[in-house]
Amino acid sequence: EAGVAQSPRYKIIEKRQSVAFWCNPISGHATLYWYQQILGQGPKLLIQFQNNGVVDDSQLPKDRFSAERLKGVDSTLKIQPAKLEDSAVYLCASSRDGRNQPQHFGDGTRLSIL
Amino acid sequence: GEDVEQSLFLSVREGDSSVINCTYTDSSSTYLYWYKQEPGAGLQLLTYIFSNMDMKQDQRLTVLLNKKDKHLSLRIADTQTGDSAIYFCAESNAGKSTFGDGTTLTVKP
């Protein structure tokens, strides 16, 4: 079974620029999560999708972050404009049905803001 | 809100047992997870325990859950240098997980 795929692995941009991350979950997994992991901390949930609908986006800074999951498979997370404090690893995870099934993580995108 | 606490560092000798501890606050947690993160990689699921269990063993890994004290531990038997990583505890309720900030395990030869 192929794992969760994310791209790019690394991204360096200047503040106020925009950036987008892509995630392809494990085939058949209905639930998709985006997390932000700041150095030295655990992952913090940004948004959770169930198929192509949003379940929880209460921690997503909506003035600058947006995410979509068209057709209920792949997802993109965008930041526009980026701030220095957005430097982090952005992790995508998926689970079979979101009802306490284990989450499977991709290797993340490491974002550095200059 | 929900909170998960872990000690930051643990250092052991190769061949010894490692015990990583975690406390959580959400009494409605249904599953509790242990993940391992190696440098430059995502989180790898190691094991998990349902909240109505008090122990689960999986090869070198033993999970103990004290639901009354909201305390979870992960014991790694015969720790190897390849076990050096950051270990995250997570509690889950209705599909939403809260993670601790991780325990960095260093295994010395």
Side-chain angles (χ1 to χ4, degrees):
Chain A
E1 169 178 84
V4 176
Q6 289 189 249
S7 68
R9 288 299 317 274
Y10 306 93
K11 191 74 177 178
I12 302 173
I13 62 172
E14 294 186 347
K15 60 183 179 182
R16 290 188 289 274
Q17 286 188 322
S18 63
V19 63
F21 314 123
W22 174 82
C23 173
N24 181 238
I26 292 173
S27 177
H29 280 196
T31 309
L32 185 147
Y33 308 81
W34 281 104
Y35 289 90
Q36 181 191 61
Q37 186 179 22
I38 292 172
L39 186 65
Q41 298 182 17
K44 300 290 191 292
L45 181 68
L46 291 173
I47 189 167
Q48 177 184 347
F49 291 95
Q50 181 74 15
N51 296 307
N52 60 353
V54 175
V55 173
D56 184 354
D57 64 356
S58 57
Q59 300 303 308
L60 188 73
K62 298 181 187 62
D63 57 334
R64 298 184 301 106
F65 286 64
S66 64
E68 60 182 11
R69 191 184 184 197
L70 299 177
K71 301 181 183 178
V73 181
D74 293 5
S75 176
T76 55
L77 175 70
K78 295 179 183 177
I79 308 175
Q80 183 180 13
K83 290 186 175 181
L84 292 175
E85 61 259 34
D86 298 332
S87 291
V89 176
Y90 290 84
L91 295 165
C92 179
S94 69
S95 68
R96 193 168 298 280
D97 62 9
R99 289 196 300 270
N100 297 315
Q101 289 292 310
Q103 296 180 28
H104 299 267
F105 284 80
D107 285 338
T109 297
R110 183 175 299 276
L111 176 65
S112 297
I113 313 293
L114 303 179
Chain B
E2 297 82 6
D3 194 22
V4 177
E5 298 285 340
Q6 300 179 240
S7 52
L8 291 180
F9 302 100
L10 177 65
S11 179
V12 300
R13 291 276 177 202
E14 191 174 18
D16 287 350
S17 292
S18 307
V19 179
I20 303 171
N21 295 300
C22 167
T23 58
Y24 60 97
T25 58
D26 187 359
S27 57
S28 300
S29 297
T30 49
Y31 282 93
L32 295 126
Y33 298 94
W34 284 104
Y35 290 87
K36 175 183 181 183
Q37 187 175 38
E38 296 183 270
L43 276 67
Q44 173 196 352
L45 178 67
L46 286 178
T47 187
Y48 60 96
I49 188 167
F50 188 54
S51 59
N52 69 352
M53 298 169 63
D54 51 20
M55 186 179 102
K56 179 178 180 181
Q57 190 153 0
D58 185 0
Q59 298 182 331
R60 293 191 297 124
L61 305 179
T62 302
V63 179
L64 295 178
L65 174 60
N66 181 327
K67 194 174 181 182
K68 173 177 169 288
D69 294 338
K70 300 190 187 69
H71 182 268
L72 182 74
S73 68
L74 173 70
R75 179 176 179 269
I76 306 172
D78 186 26
T79 314
Q80 302 298 305
T81 54
D83 295 323
S84 292
I86 303 175
Y87 290 80
F88 291 92
C89 166
E91 61 86 20
S92 179
N93 183 12
K96 182 178 176 182
S97 292
T98 301
F99 292 80
D101 284 338
T103 299
T104 299
L105 174 64
T106 302
V107 182
K108 298 180 180 177

